Amino acid sequence: MSGVKPVEALSEAEAAAELERLARAIADADAAYYQNDAPELTDAEYDGLRQRNLAIEALFPSLKREDSPTDRVGAEASDGFAKARHSAPMLSLDNAFADEDVADFATRIRRFLGLPAEEVVAFTAEPKIDGLSLSLTYENGKLLRAATRGDGQVGEDVTANARTLADIPAKLKGKGWPARIEIRGEVYMAKQDFAALNERESAAGRKTFANPRNAAAGSLRQLDVEITKSRPLRFFAYAWAAASEPFSETQSGAVQAFADWGFVTNSRMVRIETVEEVLDYYRDIEAARAGLDYDIDGVVYKVDRLDWQQRLGFVSRAPRWAVAHKFPAEKAVTTLLGIDIQVGRTGSLTPVARLEPVTVGGVVVSNATLHNEDEIARLGVKPGDRVEIQRAGDVIPQVLRVVEAGQGAVWEMPHTCPVCGSAAVREVDDAGRADVRRRCTGGLICPAQAVERLKHFVSRKALDIDGLGEKQVVLFFEKGVLRAPQDIFRLKNNIDAAGLPPLEEWEGFGAQSAKKLYSAIDARRKVPFARFLNGLGIRYVGQTTSQQFARSFLSWQSFWQAVKAAEAAGVDSDAYNELTGIDGIGQAAARALMAFEAEPHNRDMLAALLEEVEVQDEVPAAIGSPVTGKTVVFTGTLERMTRDEAKARASALGAKVAGSVSAKTDIVVAGPGAGSKLVKAEQLGLQVMTEEEWLAFIGEA
Ligand code: IVH
């Protein structure tokens, strides 16, 4: 905040003007953070604004504004839209960067489907639009609802806003549309429209948008529909879900149907048959990129045949049948001002480059990760150097290399935690290799770790409590009323017990927001299995792994029973095999769970937390399938489909796919050449089926 007058030196008139400026700046920052998911200030800058505002109000109480930021917490801004649950999750895409990644994608598909070499696999290829995705529900041809992506499961209902877009038909044209269908696509702003909008905004003395994507997001998510209407938003339709009837056999046919029904589809979409053609297309689009009238950040390839898409299915949050081939990251050169240390929730110390702010691909970057001390040594980077940085999509910016060395001294990684002062060490594995990361050994006593764990616990992918964001976690932590996850549910009591005034009297909270926060917390006393497990922040047990455990165990009790049993019996036990036998679960995750359970503090925390919340059972992926909840092992050669496809299909039907046979196995599907697993199954008297019998059993013979 250099160049800003000290608060004490302000005249009354200056103070009033300053308060007005700050109210606007903070409201804008809140909007960027909460509504556009695009923070424009660092936390320190934001806190600086709020502190200055507070200091001026303290000195000039009579000047405090009606709309003072002190009386508002930012989260309120996101409360305006109703929640909308998607009938099928809105997925993301896996990324490919190099040509080989694209070749691998094609190979994986062939392998999964078990296709012979001569079989042609056709793809659609189309630009990847840099906007925000939107799902449109049509019933009997009429637009019923429009919802943003949100977390993929639940978005925001923006129907009224979406109706203002000329590219979104209120009624479908033509015929042949299913009685019910969700059309999905991208809302975006054309480059020229964006430039004109920014010119208007700046002429009117308002803040401009950083890039067309932010402008599109900010314009669609307006509580005042008139504002959305005045903004030049467009829409490309490229996907669908939940169609009540089939309406095409191919991806390309489906998109053609969208065009017939009155949607705008991307004219550059093509259907191609070889990886070479795919790569040629990529290079053509890359060359055309600057001249397109909308921003793109890559191209998307999708398997054209829908029966194959169906068989390929999904891995966690992305389809196996599509990939985004991204353009190379944008780069810039700037000065490294210093290196800060961030302490993560598992205690890892990450060196972060503090940079002279620089614009990279339309976004101002002032921090970049340096990963770890080996990376710093490899780069030979020190404060004062000119460095090249890059930023790719949503990925954290990185320092690539030193362009010009400065006069700074060699930087050394601290060997103690900058927050709690505990020793920070590099763990050495069984093979004697030192971990690249240095970790704080303070564990539960380290406030930084505790705060990060709490932030993770309430984050969008875990408990997702409205109004309890990072800022509030830090505040409650500092006041001593939130130290462990269970405290969230005891917040009111903890505040009383600490002799603090009730929350509605705290700076930054009003009666409204305190009430909203408490009810948002109460709403999470019932929490889905996968969110709860992910929230615990156990190493190697992130969102995907948590989801896999939830799908396979269904109930928290039976899952944690298995963790306890594995912890008690060790890595040679059936219980351990039950954890690691699940498709996609590695030993690291199983061991981390056991280590978590072995630690008395964790057991106490979990017990206390479970007194406050009820972990809901996972709803099986396919209720009523004959294999829902059953544990299945595939062994021997399969002839009708590949092993991967068989496993994926079984999981999709709600079965637990295990890698080894135990007394807990329900069905063993044995093909020719089955060996010891079949013998064990027979010894245990388990149900054994041939592949044909299995297919008949699941109704796919
Ligand atoms: S297909 C199941 N096609 O990219 C596949 N997505 O990184 C659904 N996107 O959330 C997506 N252009 O918002 C698809 N031509 C395109 C796209 C596209 C942009 C966005 C979309 C998605 C994100 C995934």
Side-chain angles (χ1 to χ4, degrees):
M1 303 224 67
S2 58
V4 175
K5 227 174 179 180
V7 173
E8 303 76 40
L10 294 175
S11 70
E12 188 151 335
E14 285 172 327
E18 254 305 59
L19 286 178
E20 186 188 352
R21 180 185 76 84
L22 289 164
R24 219 175 27 222
I26 292 167
D28 285 345
D30 283 342
Y33 187 89
Y34 289 104
Q35 298 184 346
N36 304 346
D37 296 328
E40 289 168 357
L41 300 180
T42 64
D43 281 2
E45 286 164 343
Y46 179 86
D47 293 344
L49 293 182
R50 278 197 170 256
Q51 274 157 13
R52 184 167 169 83
N53 185 70
L54 210 60
I56 300 175
E57 286 178 355
L59 214 60
F60 300 92
S62 62
L63 296 182
K64 188 171 163 188
R65 300 168 57 85
E66 286 254 1
D67 63 350
S68 162
T70 315
D71 298 331
R72 251 180 335 109
V73 278
E76 274 182 348
S78 69
D79 279 343
F81 293 99
K83 296 240 147 108
R85 180 168 287 281
H86 302 299
S87 58
M90 283 185 85
L91 300 158
S92 50
L93 292 169
D94 273 343
N95 290 331
F97 292 97
D99 290 1
E100 298 80 72
D101 300 341
V102 178
D104 287 350
F105 164 69
T107 310
R108 272 201 308 278
I109 286 169
R110 289 186 164 281
R111 197 180 321 120
F112 188 95
L113 296 172
L115 298 178
E118 64 279 7
E119 180 97 49
V120 171
V121 178
F123 295 99
T124 58
E126 66 204 277
K128 183 169 188 300
I129 317 298
D130 201 3
L132 71 154
S133 45
L134 189 69
S135 185
L136 306 167
T137 306
Y138 285 87
E139 246 178 49
N140 299 321
K142 292 209 184 88
L143 176 62
L144 206 68
R145 190 187 77 166
T148 62
R149 180 170 189 279
D151 66 0
Q153 310 281 344
V154 179
E156 287 173 323
D157 188 323
V158 291
T159 312
N161 308 65
R163 287 191 195 281
T164 68
L165 271 71
D167 292 350
I168 296 181
K171 265 179 76 183
L172 299 181
K173 288 205 294 204
K175 51 188 180 333
W177 26 262
R180 190 181 165 90
I181 186 169
E182 279 185 42
I183 301 289
R184 293 176 174 181
E186 204 84 354
V187 174
Y188 68 99
M189 197 177 281
K191 289 179 191 169
Q192 285 188 348
D193 290 339
F194 162 72
L197 170 66
N198 261 358
E199 234 162 72
R200 283 204 303 276
E201 291 293 291
S202 122
R206 287 191 293 267
K207 222 170 58 89
T208 55
F209 292 99
N211 53 46
R213 206 204 78 82
N214 281 7
S219 300
L220 183 70
R221 300 172 72 249
Q222 284 287 340
L223 291 177
D224 180 353
V225 174
E226 288 306 312
I227 299 182
T228 304
K229 200 171 178 177
S230 74
R231 301 279 171 83
L233 291 173
R234 303 179 190 219
F235 180 79
F236 276 129
Y238 54 63
W240 71 98
S244 54
E245 290 89 40
F247 60 97
S248 173
E249 289 183 356
T250 59
Q251 178 75 31
S252 45
V255 173
Q256 181 53 53
F258 298 164
D260 297 342
W261 301 341
F263 288 99
V264 182
T265 58
N266 195 294
S267 62
R268 289 183 183 258
M269 187 182 104
V270 297
R271 179 180 177 282
I272 33 192
E273 301 196 336
T274 65
V275 169
E276 291 69 43
E277 281 178 296
V278 163
L279 296 175
D280 285 345
Y281 176 84
Y282 174 82
R283 288 186 236 298
D284 288 349
I285 295 288
E286 195 177 14
R289 183 181 186 186
L292 295 180
D293 62 355
Y294 43 85
D295 270 352
I296 63 174
D297 58 349
V299 295
V300 184
Y301 313 129
K302 300 172 188 168
V303 169
D304 195 38
R305 270 178 62 168
L306 299 185
D307 57 338
W308 282 351
Q309 286 192 4
Q310 174 78 23
R311 282 174 59 192
L312 285 157
F314 307 92
V315 209
S316 142
R317 307 179 78 75
R320 273 196 197 85
W321 44 264
V323 74
H325 191 179
K326 303 296 272 290
F327 293 133
E330 314 218 35
K331 297 177 183 165
V333 172
T334 184
T335 304
L336 177 64
L337 301 176
I339 299 177
D340 300 328
I341 300 288
Q342 246 170 28
V343 185
R345 68 171 199 272
T346 57
S348 59
L349 268 46
T350 307
V352 177
R354 195 163 8 94
L355 304 166
E356 194 160 279
V358 59
T359 304
V360 197
V363 170
V364 178
V365 171
S366 49
N367 290 303
T369 181
L370 282 161
H371 300 289
N372 55 61
E373 58 197 278
D374 291 355
E375 174 74 358
I376 292 179
R378 189 184 72 77
L379 295 168
V381 63
K382 36 189 201 358
D385 292 352
R386 297 280 292 164
V387 292
E388 184 178 41
I389 62 163
Q390 81 170 14
R391 177 188 150 263
D394 305 333
V395 187
I396 303 169
Q398 288 179 286
V399 175
L400 289 180
R401 65 188 179 101
V402 175
V403 176
E404 191 189 327
Q407 303 296 312
V410 172
W411 185 85
E412 284 207 41
M413 185 81 177
H415 289 201
T416 53
C417 170
V419 176
C420 74
S422 303
V425 300
R426 299 177 68 165
E427 288 167 13
V428 177
D429 70 8
D430 295 346
R433 283 182 303 253
D435 191 351
V436 289
R437 259 182 292 217
R438 198 169 277 280
R439 282 177 203 280
C440 160
T441 54
L444 295 166
I445 69 137
C446 177
Q449 288 188 48
V451 168
E452 291 306 314
R453 277 196 299 269
L454 289 166
K455 283 183 187 169
H456 174 75
F457 189 71
V458 301
S459 68
R460 219 151 101 150
K461 290 172 178 165
L463 259 71
D464 190 21
I465 298 177
D466 275 351
L468 190 55
E470 301 204 344
K471 293 198 176 74
Q472 292 81 6
V473 165
V474 171
L475 174 70
F476 293 140
F477 187 88
E478 282 169 356
K479 298 276 184 200
V481 293
L482 172 54
R483 287 289 150 103
Q486 62 270 25
D487 290 330
I488 292 170
F489 301 93
R490 304 173 177 166
L491 193 58
K492 211 174 201 154
N493 283 344
N494 288 357
I495 289 175
D496 289 347
L500 293 165
L503 189 56
E504 40 277 25
E505 291 170 21
W506 289 28
E507 216 171 80
F509 289 86
Q512 270 280 50
S513 53
K515 203 171 125 207
K516 269 192 198 153
L517 177 59
Y518 284 132
S519 66
I521 290 174
D522 273 339
R524 276 305 192 192
R525 285 184 186 272
K526 282 197 168 123
V527 50
F529 182 156
R531 283 181 175 274
F532 182 75
L533 178 57
N534 182 29
L536 294 180
I538 299 169
R539 239 167 120 185
Y540 307 112
V541 186
Q543 198 184 8
T544 305
T545 306
S546 299
Q547 193 65 60
Q548 276 161 326
F549 277 124
R551 285 215 188 100
S552 125
F553 280 89
L554 302 179
S555 105
W556 173 263
Q557 276 74 15
S558 66
F559 167 61
W560 207 255
Q561 214 55 54
V563 173
K564 279 187 181 160
E567 204 281 307
V571 294
D572 278 333
S573 61
D574 275 355
Y576 180 77
N577 288 335
E578 201 188 342
L579 294 177
T580 54
I582 298 168
D583 198 26
I585 299 291
Q587 309 220 355
R591 284 174 196 239
L593 283 163
M594 290 152 67
F596 181 92
E597 168 64 17
E599 166 66 56
H601 288 297
N602 290 335
R603 285 204 298 269
D604 293 347
M605 184 274 279
L606 197 54
L609 188 52
L610 288 170
E611 277 178 25
E612 304 294 339
V613 304
E614 180 191 325
V615 184
Q616 293 170 306
D617 287 352
E618 172 80 5
V619 182
I623 305 170
S625 118
V627 296
T628 300
K630 298 232 157 103
T631 301
V632 183
V633 173
F634 292 95
T635 180
T637 315
L638 300 179
E639 286 160 341
R640 289 273 303 272
M641 55 176 95
T642 62
R643 176 77 64 95
D644 283 344
E645 183 176 359
K647 284 185 182 175
R649 194 72 202 108
S651 302
L653 290 168
K656 223 194 276 194
V657 181
S660 61
V661 174
S662 76
K664 300 216 166 167
T665 309
D666 295 298
I667 302 169
V668 175
V669 182
S676 62
K677 288 182 191 172
L678 178 57
V679 175
K680 188 159 179 199
E682 280 163 354
Q683 280 167 358
L684 291 167
L686 304 175
Q687 186 175 15
V688 177
M689 297 182 182
T690 63
E691 185 183 7
E692 287 305 319
E693 286 167 340
W694 162 257
L695 289 171
F697 191 60
I698 61 173
E700 294 187 3

